Amino acid sequence: MMARTKRSRRSYGAGEWGRNRVRIFPDPKTGNFQIEWRENGRRLTRSLGHRDWVRAKRQADEFAAGFAGPEIGGKKDAEAGPLTLGRLFEIYGEEVTPTKGRKSWQRDRGAMAMFLDFFGRDRRPETLSQRDWDRFIRERRAGTVGPSGKPVGNRMIEWDLTFLMAVLNWAARSRDEQGRLLLDRNPLKGLRKPVEKNPNRVVLTEEEYQALLRVSRQFDWRCHVALVLAHETGHRIGAIRKLRWPDIDFEDKTIRWRAEHEKTGYEHVTPLTAEALAVLEEARRMSRGTGNAPVLPSPMDVTRGIGRVSTHKWWTKAQTLAGLEPKRGRGWHSLRRKFATDLMDLPLKVLCELGGWKSPQTVLRCYQQADAGQLRTALESRPRART
């Protein structure tokens, strides 16, 4: 019979019931892991003397397999093996990744698998160097590294290396149960990541917006509401999807953007325009929104907000009905860029508060784009000396 294992965030069990079952769990008083097993019908418990989740799981597996005995928490096990890249990713995946959103969680897992396949599980992280950095960039760009097997651009490579740097920086600040740093320093600190020279940042035009607006009610009222809210508030579609009725104050004409739904983790309140209030009133009538219900409920479960896949399908369908040729980069986020560009004359501080940006540099670098008309108007308004 094959041994069974079971894992949760609170405990971990290895072995078979009635034979060699072993369980580890944290001591509520000290936080150190305890190991529990049965011997001659008696239930015995002993402290492992540390709080390392990955190490405790390994010890439970060794105990259940008969490779270690009750002295598992003694001096024999006091000296942990050298930190490998595989073990570092396991620790990060257990302690940090679960605190992220679902999309970031999936990206973390994919990046970990890719780096372990490229560098090897047993590679010591402190031995990483400029040569490894450059080799990864070359092979990732050529498509010989990565799940797709296809060449990728600098933007994707930048994301990959940003994750690797985050793990190494975290390890250089984190200590084990003996108070020792996991890494003395980040061996890749200071290396430059490739940057996309001409990123594709499309700004939706007013004509395109009006065309989408005209057809948005034809297949789903929620698409119309989402489109107007994205245009009038300048916020990400992900934050709009997660709005609930307690976030809307019809009396004060404001909307609250919760920190947990914002990419920047920045909670703030912004005023609502007449157009935004009108579609919110429409949404309240259509969804009969009360209590803590979502503003854009899922048709399958009205207690949950509409999903990311549905909003992507809405955009594709509206674009087709509006007769717009598909354009790479034209999507929900192009409305956010339109918002920043339309309000270019506002002080940056005000614009950041309205759109939920934490950094004015981000607005200038990634969102605002001057058109030919604005450039010509600026030149014509230049003061000139009289002759």
Side-chain angles (χ1 to χ4, degrees):
M1 181 178 179
M2 182 176 286
R4 296 184 300 169
T5 60
K6 182 181 180 181
R7 186 192 77 175
S8 73
R9 291 297 299 163
R10 294 183 179 177
S11 66
Y12 177 84
E16 299 176 23
W17 293 105
R19 192 171 73 86
N20 63 339
R21 187 65 174 175
V22 175
R23 186 172 75 96
I24 58 168
F25 57 92
D27 186 322
K29 294 183 179 179
T30 66
N32 290 338
F33 283 108
Q34 303 276 320
I35 187 165
E36 177 185 275
W37 75 99
R38 287 188 176 272
E39 193 172 291
N40 298 325
R42 295 174 57 202
R43 186 171 65 178
L44 303 176
T45 305
R46 177 163 297 181
S47 174
L48 294 178
H50 64 82
R51 303 179 185 181
D52 189 329
W53 173 249
V54 176
R55 180 180 165 198
K57 290 194 300 178
R58 175 173 53 80
Q59 291 173 318
D61 291 333
E62 291 174 352
F63 194 107
F67 296 134
E71 73 280 359
I72 193 168
K75 294 182 179 179
K76 182 179 178 181
D77 191 67
E79 294 184 5
L83 180 70
T84 63
L85 202 57
R87 187 166 175 229
L88 174 58
F89 280 154
E90 284 181 0
I91 298 172
Y92 188 90
E94 291 287 350
E95 297 182 12
V96 182
T97 297
T99 66
K100 302 180 181 181
R102 186 175 67 89
K103 191 174 180 180
S104 296
W105 181 89
Q106 292 173 337
R107 187 177 295 163
D108 279 12
R109 296 296 181 190
M112 288 179 193
M114 177 181 62
F115 281 119
L116 289 178
D117 183 59
F118 184 74
F119 293 122
R121 296 189 64 86
D122 296 331
R123 179 71 182 268
R124 300 276 293 274
E126 67 269 23
T127 66
L128 295 173
S129 68
Q130 175 87 56
R131 292 179 65 195
D132 299 300
W133 182 271
D134 294 340
R135 184 166 61 92
F136 174 81
I137 293 173
R138 284 196 308 269
E139 298 194 24
R140 185 77 165 111
R141 189 176 282 148
T144 56
V145 178
S148 67
K150 298 178 181 179
V152 298
N154 285 343
R155 182 62 172 163
M156 182 63 70
I157 298 172
E158 183 184 5
W159 283 345
D160 296 335
L161 293 175
T162 297
F163 169 76
L164 180 61
M165 292 292 278
V167 175
L168 296 175
N169 285 332
W170 176 83
R173 297 190 303 268
S174 302
R175 298 181 182 272
D176 62 15
E177 64 279 2
Q178 277 82 39
R180 298 171 302 196
L181 286 170
L182 296 178
L183 272 181
D184 291 334
R185 64 181 184 85
N186 178 353
L188 303 178
K189 186 176 181 179
L191 297 185
R192 296 182 64 179
K193 291 172 281 192
V195 178
E196 196 75 35
K197 291 183 179 179
N198 297 300
N200 190 35
R201 294 172 179 149
V202 176
V203 177
L204 194 73
T205 67
E206 181 63 26
E207 293 74 18
E208 290 171 335
Y209 172 65
Q210 292 298 332
L212 293 169
L213 202 60
R214 284 192 292 270
V215 301
S216 57
R217 278 198 182 92
Q218 293 183 18
F219 52 90
D220 199 315
W221 63 268
R222 281 164 292 216
C223 177
H224 179 75
V225 174
L227 190 67
V228 174
L229 288 179
H231 182 267
E232 297 298 314
T233 67
H235 279 69
R236 295 177 178 86
I237 188 61
I240 292 170
R241 287 193 296 105
K242 295 170 184 174
L243 285 173
R244 292 185 173 268
W245 288 113
D247 300 325
I248 312 300
D249 190 329
F250 285 97
E251 185 176 343
D252 286 344
K253 300 179 181 179
T254 60
I255 186 167
R256 177 181 60 149
W257 305 96
R258 304 189 192 190
E260 62 266 30
H261 300 155
E262 285 289 303
K263 182 180 178 181
T264 56
Y266 171 50
E267 181 157 326
H268 55 290
V269 176
T270 59
L272 287 166
T273 63
E275 291 81 0
L277 281 169
V279 294
L280 285 169
E281 290 283 7
E282 178 183 344
R284 189 161 60 172
R285 291 194 305 271
M286 297 296 292
S287 66
R288 300 176 184 177
T290 57
N292 195 41
V295 173
L296 299 173
S298 166
M300 306 300 295
D301 182 357
V302 294
T303 65
R304 300 179 61 184
I306 199 71
R308 182 171 59 89
V309 174
S310 295
T311 54
H312 177 73
K313 290 180 179 178
W314 288 348
W315 186 274
T316 303
K317 196 166 185 177
Q319 191 172 237
T320 302
L321 288 175
L324 300 178
E325 288 292 329
K327 181 190 293 185
R328 182 173 175 269
R330 187 212 284 140
W332 289 101
H333 215 65
S334 63
L335 278 164
R336 186 161 164 81
R337 297 190 194 98
K338 182 179 188 298
F339 182 86
T341 301
D342 287 349
L343 300 180
M344 191 179 293
D345 292 337
L346 287 180
L348 270 175
K349 178 66 175 175
V350 175
L351 179 58
C352 288
E353 288 292 328
L354 287 175
W357 287 283
K358 291 185 71 174
S359 169
Q361 287 75 23
T362 301
V363 178
L364 291 172
R365 185 176 67 253
C366 304
Y367 289 91
Q368 287 185 336
Q369 295 184 26
D371 58 29
Q374 289 171 318
L375 295 176
R376 184 170 295 281
T377 301
L379 277 178
E380 291 173 353
S381 65
R382 180 183 181 185
R384 297 184 183 279
R386 294 185 178 182
T387 60

